[in-house]
Amino acid sequence: MADLTWRDPAASPLRPLIDLTADPTVPPSLVAETALFCADREDPCGWLPVHAPPADLRRTMCRAGLLDATDPLVVPPGVAQRLTTEDPAGLLWAARLMRALGRREDAATLLRRIGSDAPPPVYAWRALLLAGDGRQPLPPVPPEAAGLPVRLTTALAHARSAVTHGQPATESLTTAESLAAALTGDRIGVIARARVLAARLRSPAEPVPDADTVRAVVHDLGTDRTDFLARDAALALLRAATRAALNGTGVGSAYEFASAALDLDPTGAATRLLAADAARAAGDREAALTHYRVAVRTGLAERTAALAGLLDLATPTAPGADNGPTGGLAPAADTGELVGALADLLATDRRAERDRSAVLVARRPALDGTACADAVRWAVAAQADPAVGARPLPLERYRPFLDLHPSAILDPADTPPVAIHTPLMSYAAVLERREPWFREIHPQRATAAMFRDELQATAAVYGYASDAASADYATWLAAPDGCPPGVRDRLANVSDLPLLDRALLGRLLSALGFHAEAKRILPGPDVPVRDPESAYALASWIFAEQMLTTGHAAELEPHFRTLYDQLGDDVRYARTRVVTTINATVNAARRREPDTIARWRKLGEEDLARYTALPEVSQFDAAIMTSRWFRAMGFLPFLTGDRDLLRADMDRWLGIARELTGHDEHTRVIAADNYFPAVETAVRTHTHLGERDTALALVDELAQRIDPIDPKTWLTAGELRYQAGDHDGALEAYLRAAHLQFPYGRISWFNAGQVHEQLGRADLAAECYRRSLAHWPTGVTPLRRLRDLHLRGLLPDDGGVLAAWIAGQPAWPQLPPFPG
């Protein structure tokens, strides 16, 4: 546990709760500070109540990856030595320490080792602590021999129990007040009075103490931050006073008390939530936003409630949403806040899927007409049928990349119109042994080399465990929801298959993002081409290599020439000739070699004419190939600066693409698939020609009509809007891409962070950079932005927490020096 990487910002203030070692650069939360207090004290019988962690906090920490499966206790040697005691008071001390650490089972085991012959104070505490965990009924207030601390605490426990069960707490409170009176004039007496007053504030049937009484008791507790028991009592009183004021009419007092509580517990997420509710009731939207954001960052059990609060601030509060008071606050329809909060809810909150879905379902009326409507539909479906929620939405959209079966439960609006068909069409080609000689059998939108890594990273962000989402081929191959058994059997005996079948399998593996494995099962350029099947197999090998080396200046030109020069006169070679000129041109454009492109363009003109004139080629397939060819050949005038030829080529590829619709399921997919890159390339072309308005209109059409859940499109829209000076529009586009999460989550969040930073919103920028790192733990650039924001003093008031967290990230040693 000592070498645990603190991947979650919540881990920094909670670290003492995990291993009892405090980080001096980070103020611990009160939960963690309680553990340190308990570990440092000797006599456990003299303690009054101290802050206890939520009952499910340890389980939440395990779900968030902050504790491993064995959950070992790492403690300083002195504490470890004291834990071996058999003395009753020592066992009680150890049990109270275990409770402060959230280790309730360990605490119960220790308490049961205390026998009835223990001193009365110890045995009375034993009975009370076991009852506090619901293991036995609450004991009566013990006799005087047990001592005032445990007697007073037992009376307060009876008062809390009565309030919980809707019963009067008058008798218990009267007993507690009489016991506290015996301590008048002593420091412990002030603490006891504060505890009793807090209990009275929580009891709806009791007269509510006035605000001045609360202020006086808090004043008497003092401001010594080293006096933990006094500070803990003051915090409990201020929290109770805040909630009582919010439930009544004292909005001003609530804001005052919440602010004072925050001074005592600045990294406590529960206190942040209370302060946010008070700020909302007082109409201070900006303060509420800040408190909710910090609660999201530093909280675990509190994250869902904090994110729900952010959603409510970005939209009108949904009917039935139980998320605290709204007061007179007029929510602002802020798309950026809305999408960011929802994406964080879906991606970083580690609570059960049904709990997160409930937040969205409760707010459906407010969210249905927003950019987040797709996630709301998903949440509604998941609540109606828990099996539906087996996969997070970004992964369900790409389900064929996991198990090659289309999802039957996705709303059409949640289904990628084209991208989801890529593996399915390739799968169908394998099963039906489609011949590629005279028609398109595969969509054009290839899977990038980083696809599987991004898929695995997104699954990790969501806490979704499935070998099918692995970036490792062998793991996917063996996964029950990964490779279908029939394909697995073929791949196990791939060397025995006919060459066309191997080529089709290779294309399928490339469609799934396994380009290196596709190359492995195919003959390379060193194997001579003897027939159309071996030509198609080599073309498939080169295609996989081209995808695998995207972003690198790989020398593929000799491979294309080797293939092209071996193509014979058989009409089945005709389509391979055209496609080879297209792929060779794309490769030469990547290397910025216009002379090479010109050579391939000249060859391709003749090949295209010959192919489209074949009687075996339908008008539809001839038009698709013509559109593809001119789109690729547009690289030549792009590089040479021939604007007239560039426009002429664009008119051909885009004009044909607009007219084609297809006549059956297969051709409709092929037509839609061709239209998307045709418009995408036209966007880049208009941008190159300086026609940004036209480019932006096209990209908006692409994003809003053609494929509204394609994150790459929204990234492009963000870039164009930013270049046009529309920073708010750019931010909205980047956040839409970020909300889609996959496969460009890290880029989308980083770009959104940069826009926030330029708009002077350092706190929101930090949130976006943090989310980028969730998808990209080794990312130096977002980590550097966080580091620099902190060193310039621009992070919000939990900057110390974030600073400690970023210093523990894997990329920290690689950061360049701070420029000052």
Side-chain angles (χ1 to χ4, degrees):
M1 192 66 64
D3 61 352
L4 184 67
T5 298
W6 308 106
R7 298 184 184 279
D8 194 309
S12 294
L14 287 176
R15 185 165 180 174
L17 183 67
I18 300 170
D19 63 12
L20 284 183
T21 59
D23 187 335
T25 66
V26 179
S29 68
L30 198 77
V31 174
E33 203 170 347
T34 301
L36 295 177
F37 170 85
C38 292
D40 191 47
R41 291 303 184 272
E42 294 294 334
D43 176 21
C45 294
W47 305 347
L48 284 168
V50 292
H51 190 79
D56 63 344
L57 182 59
R58 203 135 191 114
R59 290 192 298 272
T60 305
M61 292 166 74
C62 289
R63 286 199 301 268
L66 304 181
L67 296 173
D68 62 25
T70 60
D71 186 14
L73 178 64
V74 180
V75 297
V79 174
Q81 185 176 2
R82 291 180 63 191
L83 289 172
T84 61
T85 182
E86 291 296 328
D87 173 67
L91 290 171
L92 177 62
W93 170 87
R96 296 198 71 172
L97 173 60
M98 291 300 106
R99 281 173 55 85
L101 290 168
R103 305 173 69 99
R104 292 176 179 261
E105 290 301 324
D106 291 338
T109 300
L110 289 164
L111 289 169
R112 290 194 183 101
R113 288 166 57 189
I114 299 175
S116 57
D117 57 341
V122 173
Y123 200 72
W125 274 112
R126 172 193 184 276
L128 180 58
L129 294 176
L130 286 173
D133 287 341
R135 300 173 190 276
Q136 60 189 42
L138 271 175
V141 176
E144 290 186 11
L148 268 175
V150 70
R151 299 182 71 208
L152 175 60
T153 306
T154 305
L156 291 174
H158 278 281
R160 285 195 301 273
S161 176
V163 170
T164 300
H165 293 90
Q167 299 171 354
T170 305
E171 182 179 349
S172 301
L173 286 171
T174 301
T175 301
E177 285 174 336
S178 66
L179 291 169
L183 296 170
T184 300
D186 187 273
R187 163 185 162 276
I188 295 296
V190 180
I191 295 173
R193 184 184 176 202
R195 291 289 184 182
V196 174
L197 187 58
R200 187 173 289 283
L201 283 163
R202 295 191 189 99
S203 177
E206 297 296 313
V208 178
D210 60 50
D212 287 338
T213 302
V214 173
R215 295 185 186 102
V217 174
V218 171
H219 178 271
D220 291 342
L221 287 168
T223 57
D224 182 3
R225 298 190 67 83
T226 64
D227 189 344
F228 178 75
L229 286 180
R231 187 153 58 92
D232 183 46
L235 180 62
L237 174 57
L238 288 166
R239 282 178 172 174
T242 302
R243 186 55 64 195
L246 288 173
N247 292 336
T249 58
V251 172
S253 298
Y255 204 21
E256 172 196 347
F257 293 145
S259 300
L262 205 55
D263 288 338
L264 297 175
D265 187 26
T267 56
T271 308
R272 286 282 178 179
L273 274 177
L274 194 60
D277 286 345
R280 286 176 63 187
D284 190 344
R285 183 176 185 273
E286 288 305 313
L289 280 172
T290 298
H291 296 320
Y292 280 136
R293 288 189 203 113
V294 177
V296 169
R297 187 181 295 144
T298 61
L300 288 172
E302 300 84 3
R303 273 189 181 155
T304 296
L307 288 164
L310 287 175
L311 287 175
D312 288 339
L313 288 178
T315 61
T317 304
D322 183 15
N323 193 55
T326 58
L329 190 63
D334 186 331
T335 301
E337 293 286 352
L338 174 64
V339 179
L342 186 65
D344 215 10
L345 172 70
L346 295 174
T348 66
D349 189 66
R350 292 296 192 270
R351 296 187 68 179
E353 181 69 36
R354 62 180 180 273
D355 298 330
R356 292 180 288 167
S357 297
V359 173
L360 300 179
V361 172
R363 289 157 179 79
R364 183 176 185 178
L367 296 173
D368 259 350
T370 70
C372 304
D374 61 332
V376 176
R377 286 195 304 273
W378 176 260
V380 172
Q383 192 173 71
D385 181 1
V388 170
R391 289 191 180 98
L393 186 55
L395 299 185
E396 188 68 43
R397 287 182 177 128
Y398 286 86
R399 182 169 180 171
F401 286 101
L402 302 177
D403 61 15
L404 295 182
H405 297 289
S407 173
I409 51 81
L410 282 182
D411 187 289
D414 295 329
T415 306
V418 176
I420 201 169
H421 292 285
T422 302
L424 291 182
M425 295 296 284
S426 298
Y427 186 34
V430 169
L431 296 181
E432 299 170 18
R433 203 170 186 269
R434 292 178 179 170
E435 295 185 339
W437 318 130
F438 308 113
R439 64 171 180 155
E440 300 279 349
I441 65 171
H442 299 294
Q444 297 175 38
R445 297 171 70 184
T447 306
M450 57 77 174
F451 185 91
R452 297 300 306 194
D453 290 326
E454 289 274 328
L455 178 67
Q456 186 178 46
T458 301
V461 164
Y462 279 82
Y464 173 71
S466 169
D467 289 341
S470 174
D472 179 74
Y473 172 71
T475 303
W476 169 83
L477 190 64
D481 59 341
C483 182
V487 174
R488 187 182 299 122
D489 294 341
R490 296 189 191 197
L491 289 170
N493 303 283
V494 69
S495 59
D496 299 331
L497 296 176
L499 199 50
L500 178 60
D501 295 77
R502 289 165 60 188
L504 292 172
L505 278 172
R507 292 281 180 154
L508 171 60
L509 291 181
S510 277
L512 293 166
F514 295 116
H515 304 295
E517 286 70 24
K519 285 178 54 186
R520 183 181 57 79
I521 68 172
L522 297 170
D526 55 334
V527 178
V529 171
R530 303 185 185 281
D531 48 39
E533 285 81 2
S534 59
Y536 182 66
L538 177 54
S540 300
W541 183 96
I542 298 174
F543 173 78
E545 175 70 358
Q546 197 168 14
M547 293 299 101
L548 191 61
T549 59
T550 299
H552 306 282
E555 180 57 84
L556 301 179
E557 177 66 14
H559 300 327
F560 287 114
R561 293 199 181 197
T562 297
L563 170 60
Y564 189 85
D565 291 344
Q566 296 182 83
L567 299 178
D569 295 329
D570 190 317
V571 292
R572 291 179 296 168
Y573 286 119
R575 184 176 177 278
T576 305
R577 284 181 176 276
V578 181
V579 173
T580 300
T581 67
I582 291 174
N583 291 337
T585 294
V586 172
N587 176 68
R590 194 165 70 181
R591 298 170 61 87
R592 305 187 73 81
E593 298 173 346
D595 291 342
T596 304
I597 298 176
R599 174 183 179 275
W600 286 112
R601 179 165 183 144
K602 182 177 180 180
L603 293 171
E605 284 177 339
E606 299 174 3
D607 294 326
L608 179 64
R610 188 179 303 115
Y611 172 76
T612 56
L614 290 174
E616 294 91 343
V617 178
S618 68
Q619 289 185 343
F620 175 84
D621 286 291
I624 284 287
M625 185 60 76
T626 302
S627 180
R628 284 187 63 184
W629 190 85
F630 275 99
R631 179 164 54 86
M633 296 308 144
F635 281 115
L636 180 60
F638 181 86
L639 291 175
T640 61
D642 189 340
R643 299 167 71 92
D644 292 338
L645 181 57
L646 184 57
R647 287 185 187 279
D649 284 349
M650 182 169 59
D651 288 344
R652 294 292 296 276
W653 86 63
L654 188 58
I656 293 173
R658 287 190 185 281
E659 293 176 0
L660 287 174
T661 57
H663 52 272
D664 58 22
E665 182 181 1
H666 179 86
T667 55
R668 280 192 290 271
V669 171
I670 294 295
D673 174 66
N674 182 68
Y675 187 43
F676 190 97
V679 174
E680 194 175 40
T681 308
V683 168
R684 290 196 297 268
T685 302
H686 282 296
T687 302
H688 172 73
L689 294 172
E691 300 162 353
R692 298 192 183 278
D693 290 344
T694 305
L696 188 53
L698 278 174
V699 80
D700 282 344
E701 176 195 12
L702 204 60
Q704 297 178 18
R705 187 177 68 83
I706 302 174
D707 195 351
I709 55 175
D710 181 82
K712 185 179 179 182
T713 300
W714 286 110
L715 278 173
T716 304
E719 292 169 5
L720 290 175
R721 291 174 182 179
Y722 183 82
Q723 292 166 7
D726 181 8
H727 290 184
D728 290 335
L731 180 61
E732 178 187 359
Y734 287 144
L735 285 171
R736 281 178 179 260
H739 170 49
L740 293 166
Q741 298 286 354
F742 171 70
Y744 298 102
R746 68 187 191 184
I747 300 172
S748 306
W749 282 120
F750 180 78
N751 287 359
Q754 287 197 302
V755 176
H756 273 310
E757 191 173 346
Q758 292 180 17
L759 292 173
R761 304 167 182 165
D763 55 342
L764 288 176
E767 286 289 342
C768 291
Y769 295 144
R770 179 176 64 82
R771 293 170 187 168
S772 177
L773 281 169
H775 292 268
W776 191 20
T778 58
V780 172
T781 310
L783 195 66
R784 180 171 56 185
R785 296 306 314 136
L786 279 169
R787 189 268 316 265
D788 292 355
L789 284 173
H790 172 64
L791 293 179
R792 291 190 174 101
L794 297 176
L795 288 185
D797 45 7
D798 66 328
V801 174
L802 262 183
W805 175 71
I806 62 176
Q809 295 304 295
W812 180 258
Q814 305 172 39
L815 288 185
F818 178 61

